[in-house]
Amino acid sequence: MSIALYPGSFDPLTNGHIDILKRACTVFEKVILGIITNPNKTPFFSLEERKKIITSVIEEISLENRVIVDSFDGLMVNYAKKKNIRVVIRGLRAVSDFEYELALSMMNKRLYSELETIFLMTASEYSFISSNLVKEVFKYGGDIKNYVHPIVFEEMQKKIK
Ligand code: ADP
């Protein structure tokens, strides 16, 4: 069975992430959405909240038979090795993503030689969306409805009430 890992912070999940996830599902039978937990960063949504929200969104977009939501800390390659995953998916928005992603994929290849990184290009309408930008705009009261799923939007609003 073809399986791939889509790792990220997903804090919060944006429509850009959903776009990449849907594309990944056209290529792979199963996709593990792996939430990276970074103990040094205070997230907007806790890990448990992110898991719950992402699971609900995945059900809403009818991908629950294709996508598994999981989380890991530490090195992504260690998680991939443990799960016997050989493909990692990364999304590319713009040229600015490329340099970092190239270095990351090269480092990962040295750490785990059987691992391949596959880059999927985002649709142009999502190419400027990032979790950080969404959080920033939301913090100052800007409208972010077009950039996140309604479930995510509702949960973000609950946070500030
Ligand atoms: P990280 O914290 O590692 O940047 P993110 O959750 O922001 O993780 O992103 C996870 C993956 O999704 C990365 O490969 C990133 O390039 C990709 N990504 C994020 N936003 C978008 C978007 N709008 N369109 C396409 N890919 C995206």
Side-chain angles (χ1 to χ4, degrees), residues 3 14 66 81 85 144:
I3 186 159
T14 68
R66 310 290 301 285
K81 272 184 201 166
I85 295 168
I144 54 147

Side-chain angles (χ1 to χ4, degrees), residues 23-156:
R23 286 161 193 259
C25 284
T26 66
V27 184
F28 295 93
E29 285 167 51
K30 287 263 183 224
V31 177
I32 299 184
L33 184 151
I35 308 170
I36 301 164
T37 57
N38 182 346
N40 300 324
K41 271 202 229 160
T42 312
F44 182 84
F45 286 121
S46 69
L47 175 62
E48 287 317 310
E49 288 170 329
R50 271 177 279 168
K51 267 195 183 156
K52 206 176 127 237
I53 295 166
I54 295 169
T55 304
S56 306
V57 172
I58 284 166
E59 275 173 20
E60 270 286 308
I61 59 176
S62 305
L63 283 182
E64 69 272 23
N65 295 328
R66 310 290 301 285
V67 179
I68 299 159
V69 181
D70 199 7
S71 62
F72 61 92
D73 52 17
L75 281 176
M76 185 273 287
V77 290
N78 289 346
Y79 174 82
K81 272 184 201 166
K82 198 176 77 191
K83 294 272 173 179
N84 206 18
I85 295 168
R86 286 158 189 253
V87 178
V88 62
I89 304 282
R90 297 290 286 174
L92 281 182
R93 280 162 287 198
V95 183
S96 51
D97 278 342
F98 181 75
E99 230 169 299
Y100 173 73
E101 291 292 342
L102 180 69
L104 189 65
S105 71
M106 285 178 168
M107 178 58 86
N108 286 337
K109 189 83 182 158
R110 276 168 178 74
L111 295 169
Y112 178 14
S113 62
E114 288 99 340
L115 189 76
E116 295 299 341
T117 304
I118 292 187
F119 295 103
L120 297 175
M121 309 299 160
T122 184
S124 57
E125 64 261 43
Y126 305 126
S127 64
F128 63 95
I129 307 171
S130 69
S131 296
N132 282 341
L133 194 54
V134 165
K135 278 185 282 195
E136 198 71 10
V137 172
F138 180 73
K139 192 166 103 187
Y140 295 106
D143 186 3
I144 54 147
K145 262 202 216 80
N146 290 336
Y147 313 125
V148 296
H149 190 278
I151 291 175
V152 177
F153 183 67
E154 199 179 306
E155 291 298 324
M156 287 180 84

